[in-house]
Amino acid sequence: MIHKQVPIGVSARHIHLSEEHVEALFGAGYTLTEMKPLSQPGQYAANETVAVIGPKGEFAKVRILGPVRKRTQLEVSRTDAFALGVKPPLRESGNIAGSAGIKLQGPAGEVTIEEGVIVAARHIHFHTSDAERWNIEDKQRLRVRVGGDRGVVFENVVARVSDEFALDMHIDTDEANAAGIANGDTGEIID
Amino acid sequence: MIHKQVPIGVSARHIHLSEEHVEALFGAGYTLTEMKPLSQPGQYAANETVAVIGPKGEFAKVRILGPVRKRTQLEVSRTDAFALGVKPPLRESGNIAGSAGIKLQGPAGEVTIEEGVIVAARHIHFHTSDAERWNIEDKQRLRVRVGGDRGVVFENVVARVSDEFALDMHIDTDEANAAGIANGDTGEIID
């Protein structure tokens, strides 16, 4: 039997910005600067943060992940959503149509987005070679077990396969806390 | 096949107080007053709240659950623990030896407890008749599945059996958010 072990990365709340919104929040011609690289090639945590202001609460410093994307997307946990007072849907990254809106504030201005706030569906990035080796297809729903005192099997873990990805499972802070998981722990794909 | 369906109750952060600590926080001779009954017979949410003050953060109003117990016990989620700046262990209710401490503040005074702060292990209360019908023993570890977009199987769910219990599974807010569960949803015991 093959053990399909996957490293787990815990995603805290974060935001991806469009180029237009970077300029609106940080000033004309502004470009994000890299603080540290992320597990996915070419992706990075920026030095810059924005304030996120909901009807009930706010977070003063939400980390921006670069590079810029076509559309701005704020990813929060369900716990964060209650604190902000917004009701984001559970979505795969990039699927933001009809999702929640919110106000963003940067040093040079404010932007109110009508949609773009989501709770990210748990997922695994597979390099094409990992997926082939394990017979896993893009968009497949997987079950992943994490052991321990708070052992959990996560269902509906979305497989995302690309030559540009590195093997990594992404869950949010609620999921990590519920399962007693820290960054660098591993899960096992059980089907 | 028998379907062992269990209603799920989501426990927000809350505190059980000793009689001594009720008096220290609310005044000599003070007794808690009932706001509403809980699912377990004789247990209730009190009208009274206390402030809980950690090294990093605080919660101004933490609900007290009555009646008084032998020892004070604060139950928080892992998310709450990070916000407070404390490191409570995962424990079954009542097992507080060597757990985390914290400062409590009421209208009549303050108390600093040296231990009593825990993250509660997920568990199911069974009336003895439920447990007999389903062949479940006190202290048994169970697996419980909850379906949906964020479907999860919770492992290590502790069975607690008593004539004084009503059938109810208790999870905390991190676990509920991670699995997309609201109060009144049901889980299925799968072994």
Side-chain angles (χ1 to χ4, degrees):
Chain A
M1 182 177 164
I2 305 169
H3 287 286
K4 298 176 239 179
Q5 296 284 344
V6 181
I8 299 176
V10 181
S11 299
R13 69 182 82 100
H14 63 272
I15 192 165
H16 305 278
L17 292 177
S18 66
E19 195 169 347
E20 176 198 346
H21 288 161
V22 169
E23 298 205 17
L25 296 164
F26 291 91
Y30 193 91
T31 51
L32 297 174
T33 60
E34 178 168 337
M35 182 175 72
K36 63 174 183 184
L38 300 177
S39 68
Q40 297 310 306
Q43 305 291 305
Y44 60 87
N47 290 299
E48 293 81 3
T49 61
V50 291
V52 171
I53 301 156
K56 254 188 65 187
E58 60 184 82
F59 297 118
K61 291 187 173 188
V62 173
R63 183 66 53 193
I64 301 171
L65 303 190
V68 293
R69 293 197 177 180
K70 280 196 186 134
R71 290 182 299 176
T72 290
Q73 176 174 298
L74 173 66
E75 298 178 40
V76 297
S77 70
R78 195 63 72 193
T79 298
D80 293 338
F82 287 125
L84 291 168
V86 294
K87 292 190 174 176
L90 183 75
R91 291 284 179 85
E92 289 177 50
S93 184
N95 177 14
I96 62 170
S99 61
I102 205 147
K103 187 161 89 173
L104 311 175
Q105 196 174 60
E110 285 183 3
V111 169
T112 296
I113 55 174
E114 296 303 319
E115 60 185 23
V117 187
I118 64 170
V119 174
R122 48 208 182 211
H123 58 276
I124 300 177
H125 294 270
F126 293 91
H127 186 270
T128 311
S129 62
D130 300 315
E132 282 174 358
R133 179 163 48 108
W134 288 343
N135 240 328
I136 286 165
E137 292 178 10
D138 191 47
K139 303 283 181 196
Q140 191 176 339
R141 300 282 174 129
L142 303 165
R143 291 192 302 155
V144 176
R145 179 172 184 273
V146 183
D149 282 352
R150 280 197 141 180
V152 150
V153 176
F154 291 114
E155 302 183 347
N156 292 327
V157 182
V158 181
R160 297 177 55 192
V161 179
S162 163
D163 279 343
E164 296 178 6
F165 289 159
L167 185 64
D168 208 18
M169 174 166 171
H170 289 171
I171 60 174
D172 73 12
T173 45
D174 285 340
E175 293 170 319
N177 289 335
I181 293 168
N183 257 313
D185 285 354
T186 59
E188 181 168 1
I189 300 170
I190 54 176
D191 67 6
Chain B
M1 181 178 165
I2 305 169
H3 287 287
K4 298 175 241 179
Q5 297 284 345
V6 181
I8 299 176
V10 181
S11 298
R13 71 184 80 99
H14 64 270
I15 192 166
H16 305 276
L17 292 176
S18 67
E19 193 168 349
E20 177 197 346
H21 288 161
V22 169
E23 297 204 19
L25 295 164
F26 292 91
Y30 193 91
T31 52
L32 297 173
T33 60
E34 179 170 336
M35 182 175 73
K36 63 173 183 186
L38 300 176
S39 67
Q40 296 310 308
Q43 305 292 304
Y44 60 87
N47 290 300
E48 293 81 3
T49 62
V50 290
V52 171
I53 300 157
K56 254 189 65 187
E58 58 185 84
F59 296 119
K61 290 188 175 187
V62 173
R63 183 67 50 194
I64 302 170
L65 303 190
V68 293
R69 292 195 177 182
K70 279 196 188 135
R71 291 182 299 176
T72 290
Q73 177 175 298
L74 172 66
E75 298 178 40
V76 296
S77 70
R78 195 63 74 192
T79 298
D80 292 339
F82 288 125
L84 291 168
V86 295
K87 293 188 173 178
L90 184 75
R91 292 284 180 84
E92 289 178 50
S93 184
N95 177 13
I96 61 170
S99 60
I102 204 146
K103 187 162 90 172
L104 311 174
Q105 196 174 59
E110 285 182 4
V111 169
T112 296
I113 54 174
E114 296 303 318
E115 60 184 24
V117 186
I118 65 169
V119 174
R122 47 208 184 212
H123 57 276
I124 301 176
H125 295 269
F126 293 92
H127 187 270
T128 311
S129 61
D130 300 314
E132 283 173 358
R133 179 163 47 107
W134 290 342
N135 241 325
I136 286 165
E137 290 178 11
D138 192 44
K139 303 285 180 193
Q140 190 176 339
R141 299 282 174 130
L142 303 165
R143 291 193 302 154
V144 177
R145 179 173 183 271
V146 183
D149 283 351
R150 280 197 140 179
V152 152
V153 175
F154 291 114
E155 301 183 347
N156 292 328
V157 181
V158 181
R160 298 176 57 191
V161 180
S162 164
D163 279 344
E164 295 177 6
F165 289 159
L167 184 65
D168 208 17
M169 174 166 171
H170 288 171
I171 60 174
D172 73 11
T173 45
D174 285 340
E175 294 170 319
N177 289 335
I181 294 169
N183 257 315
D185 285 353
T186 60
E188 182 167 1
I189 300 169
I190 55 178
D191 65 8

